[in-house]
Amino acid sequence: MSSPDPEGLDLAALVRGDADAPPSPEAALGAAALRADLDQWSAPEPPADLAERTLARIALAAAAPPVHEPHSALEVLTTQPFAPAPGTKRRGLVIRLCVQALAACLLFGVSASFTAFVYPAVVHALEEGRLEACQLRLTRLARALEAYRNANPGADPLHGAALRRALIEGGFATAEDFVCPGAGGDLHGVDSFVGAKPGARDDYPVFWDRFGNHPQGFNVVYADARVELLDVNDLQLKPAGR
Amino acid sequence: MPAEAPRRDESLVTALAAGDPGALTELMHRYQRPLYGYLVRMLGSREDADDVFQETFLRVVRHAGRFDPSRRFRPWVYAIASNLIKNTYRARGNRASQSLEPHDEEGPSLLSTLVGRSREPSEAAQREESAERVRSAVERLPEKGRNALVLFYYQGLPYAEIAEVLEVPVGTVKSRIHNALGKLGHELASKEGLS
């Protein structure tokens, strides 16, 4: 197909402002008018955390599958944060002393000391609850994805917003499932979880938290509905094909 | 001592293929704004643009080892994004790719549109053409013409690179842009009661 412009003139370049030889003053004015129209439509700035989330997605996609056996969300909660460490005896002694001190504080009615001990524990317990609720929702999403794939064999792969829409519109998941309890309810809305392209492998990460939803790290659920709590600093970029 | 020249995009892809994550960060930094703008304009949704941006760079990483450094990176990354846009249209059930005209048919001549729209520049500057009206008019263009137009006008790519992105001859690119601009100018002028 040849250029449709008359006499070899590049009218499109004239509109873009690249051409310096307009065919007529009217064409030059018309091009300026059209350019003024087109320039009205400016593109929005990308989100500030777009690069960070992209790097995380790449790192997750390239992450080696975990070598240990699948475990439940509850096991993650009970084993990872409270794993036994060296010096348990000494720690036990410290804890006992702390408990005694706490009891003393209670006995003597020192409410300030009481608050200082109990408040962090309450906060910790609440956050643990949010972490567990988040993991349960992620598990539901992974199962919803499996149900969607079974109901739509051979469908085009979906990811991200398209996948989210398909799961909700198909009745496989609810909008609430996509909201992380650690993100402050509606704070991040349905963007709290970002879905990845469904892979054929069971160890493929399919949904994960946004960073900052939980102080302990971020949750990832794999295609087999197994949940894992990861630290963003542990992610390694691995170029493919190497 | 002269300042070190910035590394070419193609060198960065080679470094990325060799396992340099800093090269990926630099590429993403360079392309974040233009590519995101392209995606938002083509997809009409920030959410979808966000996803496709991530998927584009995921593919850049996956295929960096196969990139031919004698080629240019920019049309390569735009070609990846363009293919993902088509996938997104398909996933939407072609809702987004619906247009007033089903095929890339020839519309009004660009020259006649431009001459018909001629006016004093000061008038043009004073017109309150809303971004929404332009967006809506561009969205109704046939998908091929819209893609060529956005790459040409908003992304500033030369014809040769657009031809690489769309995998069509340069003449076809020019024709698509010409038709798209003609239709767009005609439609915008029609809405203003100029024609």
Side-chain angles (χ1 to χ4, degrees):
Chain A
M1 207 180 294
S2 60
S3 169
D5 294 330
E7 300 168 14
L9 293 169
D10 190 345
L11 293 175
L14 181 66
V15 173
R16 194 166 69 172
D18 292 350
D20 48 14
S24 66
E26 290 82 9
L29 289 175
L34 183 52
R35 186 162 59 244
D37 279 350
L38 290 170
D39 288 347
Q40 296 285 327
W41 187 27
S42 58
E45 287 291 314
D49 62 348
L50 180 60
E52 183 191 45
R53 285 186 287 112
T54 305
L55 288 170
R57 178 165 179 171
I58 292 167
L60 280 167
V67 293
H68 51 74
E69 288 295 310
H71 47 256
S72 71
L74 188 60
E75 284 170 335
V76 171
L77 282 173
T78 52
T79 57
Q80 287 201 344
F82 306 113
T88 307
K89 271 189 175 179
R90 180 174 295 177
R91 188 172 298 171
L93 180 63
V94 171
I95 290 171
R96 209 160 44 240
L97 287 172
C98 285
V99 169
Q100 286 171 351
L102 180 62
C105 290
L106 284 169
L107 285 172
F108 289 103
V110 185
S111 59
S113 299
F114 175 85
T115 305
F117 278 97
V118 172
Y119 181 70
V122 170
V123 170
H124 178 75
L126 287 172
E127 178 48 43
E128 290 297 305
R130 283 193 287 267
L131 190 70
E132 184 176 14
C134 166
Q135 291 171 332
L136 291 173
R137 285 183 184 183
L138 281 172
T139 307
R140 280 208 295 269
L141 285 178
R143 290 184 179 139
L145 177 60
E146 188 180 5
Y148 172 81
R149 292 171 68 187
N150 290 338
N152 299 277
D156 284 339
L158 297 177
H159 60 86
L163 174 60
R164 192 153 54 233
R165 275 195 297 270
L167 293 184
I168 294 173
E169 287 172 8
F172 297 96
T174 65
E176 188 193 59
D177 291 334
F178 288 92
V179 179
C180 172
D186 292 332
L187 184 63
H188 290 130
V190 294
D191 286 331
S192 295
F193 298 140
V194 179
K197 178 181 169 180
R201 290 161 37 195
D202 282 347
D203 56 15
Y204 194 92
V206 285
F207 294 96
W208 55 86
D209 258 336
R210 286 199 163 184
F211 303 150
N213 285 358
H214 306 284
Q216 301 96 323
F218 69 101
N219 289 315
V220 178
V221 65
Y222 299 90
D224 60 359
R226 178 172 39 86
V227 181
E228 199 168 33
L229 180 67
L230 297 179
D231 186 332
V232 65
N233 297 314
D234 292 339
L235 295 175
Q236 299 288 323
L237 291 179
K238 295 176 185 174
R242 299 191 61 80
Chain B
M1 192 172 159
E4 194 178 336
R7 292 166 79 186
R8 294 174 63 240
D9 292 347
E10 293 73 23
S11 306
L12 289 170
V13 185
T14 307
L16 172 63
D20 176 7
L24 175 63
T25 310
E26 177 61 27
L27 280 171
M28 213 179 294
H29 175 71
R30 288 182 188 182
Y31 281 89
Q32 182 166 275
R33 281 187 69 181
L35 193 60
Y36 184 77
Y38 169 60
L39 295 170
V40 170
R41 284 192 169 105
M42 288 302 295
L43 294 166
S45 152
R46 293 186 191 203
E47 195 176 42
D48 284 341
D50 197 302
D51 288 329
V52 173
F53 181 90
Q54 293 183 33
E55 187 71 15
T56 299
F57 272 92
L58 178 58
R59 293 191 183 199
V60 165
V61 173
R62 282 184 172 155
H63 302 304
R66 282 185 258 158
F67 178 74
D68 176 3
S70 66
R71 295 184 60 195
R72 285 166 294 194
F73 174 74
R74 185 166 66 170
W76 188 63
V77 73
Y78 272 103
I80 294 172
S82 180
N83 286 328
L84 290 169
I85 287 168
K86 287 177 197 163
N87 292 349
T88 306
Y89 286 158
R90 271 201 297 272
R92 288 175 179 174
N94 293 321
R95 277 175 300 186
S97 61
Q98 284 173 358
S99 59
L100 291 176
E101 295 173 52
H103 304 294
D104 211 1
E105 295 163 353
E106 288 208 7
S109 137
L110 179 54
L111 182 58
S112 66
T113 302
L114 294 182
V115 171
R117 296 204 50 160
S118 62
R119 68 192 75 197
E120 291 300 317
S122 57
E123 277 183 53
Q126 287 167 5
R127 275 182 307 104
E128 292 185 355
E129 183 69 53
S130 73
E132 176 57 28
R133 185 184 292 180
V134 178
R135 185 198 63 75
S136 166
V138 173
E139 228 174 47
R140 279 196 297 275
L141 290 171
E143 191 255 325
K144 288 177 180 173
R146 182 168 73 244
N147 203 356
L149 173 69
V150 170
L151 287 169
F152 174 78
Y153 190 82
Y154 290 107
Q155 306 309 124
L157 265 62
Y159 293 124
E161 289 193 21
I162 299 172
E164 277 188 63
V165 173
L166 304 179
E167 298 180 53
V168 295
V170 170
T172 306
V173 169
K174 287 185 176 178
S175 177
R176 286 182 186 174
I177 295 168
H178 182 100
N179 288 338
L181 281 172
K183 284 175 189 168
L184 192 63
H186 185 73
E187 175 154 351
L188 290 172
S190 301
K191 284 185 176 177
E192 292 167 1
L194 295 175
S195 62

